Amino acid sequence: SQTIHQWPATLVQPVGSPLSLECTVEGTSNPNLYWYRQAAGRGLQLLFYSVGIGQISSEVPQNLSASRPQDRQFILSSKKLLLSDSGFYLCAWSLGLGEQYFGPGTRLTVT
Amino acid sequence: AQSVTQLDSQVPVFEEAPVELRCNYSSSVSVYLFWYVQYPNQGLQLLLKYLSGSTLVESINGFEAEFNKSQTSFHLRKPSVHISDTAEYFCAVSDRVFGNEKLTFGTGTRLTIIP
């Protein structure tokens, strides 16, 4: 069966510091991968998605970036965090039928 | 472009009472439809989906949703709720025709069960 991992689970970072969040999927090959952000009390905002290694689509211009160094690994990064980057970050995967499967999330607090 | 509307941001319901969470969508093409549930501080879990076939779909924990093409709706229902159903519920849609790599989510409905 497929599983998806995210780490860290929680993170507190000062403004201006770098960020690296990692997501890995097990039990499937060539999945579509996604990064979402969920601000407090808000819905989900799609940040990036990838349909293959090296193929990254950005949905929202901001100070975040994403990379997919391996088939089942998706990394979200920032060089300098802003207060507005605080939120709950969710990684998801799919095989292209529309339904997506989500990881447990990373709670990021920028202070 | 697609959009999903969940008109009720919060729904309080007494335990063992029925509930309906409303979802309407707009799309110029045929769609796939989904309901996700999110418990506090967790990721989203797929609750049920409509891809094709019967317009009434059911989940293993007693929820059901009915695809109504003429009303462009996919409302979620449960005849008798439990405390454990307290969570946030998201409706989502993807299109069948132009690529279903992306889901469009509604803003969510927070379901609170009152003992």
Side-chain angles (χ1 to χ4, degrees):
Chain A
S1 64
Q2 301 90 355
T3 56
I4 179 169
H5 304 279
Q6 286 187 245
W7 62 89
T10 60
L11 192 60
V12 180
Q13 293 282 91
V15 168
S17 64
L19 173 72
S20 180
L21 303 181
E22 191 165 341
C23 169
T24 58
V25 181
E26 297 177 355
T28 187
S29 296
N30 198 30
N32 295 338
L33 296 172
Y34 307 82
W35 278 112
Y36 290 88
R37 178 169 59 203
Q38 191 175 25
R42 307 272 306 269
L44 284 86
Q45 179 185 35
L46 179 62
L47 302 175
F48 302 93
Y49 72 98
S50 170
V51 298
I53 295 176
Q55 300 178 59
I56 310 291
S57 297
S58 174
E59 291 293 300
V60 182
Q62 56 204 330
N63 68 323
L64 298 173
S65 62
S67 61
R68 185 171 178 173
Q70 300 180 42
D71 180 43
R72 291 171 289 176
Q73 184 183 30
F74 206 23
I75 296 173
L76 183 69
S77 303
S78 173
K79 293 182 179 178
K80 288 185 178 182
L81 283 168
L82 307 173
L83 284 174
S84 58
D85 291 323
S86 292
F88 193 48
Y89 288 80
L90 291 161
C91 181
W93 69 272
S94 82
L95 292 178
L97 284 178
E99 57 194 281
Q100 295 178 14
Y101 298 92
F102 286 78
T106 295
R107 175 80 56 193
L108 172 66
T109 303
V110 182
T111 61
Chain B
Q2 301 162 323
S3 67
V4 177
T5 301
Q6 292 182 249
L7 288 173
D8 305 307
S9 60
Q10 297 187 59
V11 174
V13 181
F14 285 103
E15 193 174 12
E16 298 184 3
V19 69
E20 178 181 81
L21 306 184
R22 296 180 293 169
C23 172
N24 289 89
Y25 69 92
S26 69
S27 176
S28 58
V29 299
S30 297
V31 296
Y32 298 123
L33 293 157
F34 308 89
W35 275 100
Y36 284 85
V37 58
Q38 185 180 32
Y39 300 102
N41 295 310
Q42 294 186 26
L44 276 70
Q45 300 174 29
L46 182 63
L47 186 61
L48 45 75
K49 60 187 177 186
Y50 171 76
L51 302 181
S52 65
S54 172
T55 57
L56 184 66
V57 292
E58 298 177 353
S59 72
I60 59 173
N61 58 352
F63 282 95
E64 64 178 30
E66 186 162 19
F67 170 51
N68 187 317
K69 187 175 181 180
S70 62
Q71 298 186 9
T72 60
S73 67
F74 191 53
H75 301 331
L76 181 70
R77 302 183 182 95
K78 188 170 185 180
S80 176
V81 295
H82 302 285
I83 291 289
S84 59
D85 294 323
T86 295
E88 184 125 25
Y89 293 80
F90 293 93
C91 182
V93 61
S94 69
D95 77 69
R96 295 170 173 260
V97 178
F98 296 114
N100 43 38
E101 292 88 8
K102 295 190 289 184
L103 285 175
T104 300
F105 283 89
T107 51
T109 297
R110 184 172 300 279
L111 177 62
T112 302
I113 308 303
I114 305 166

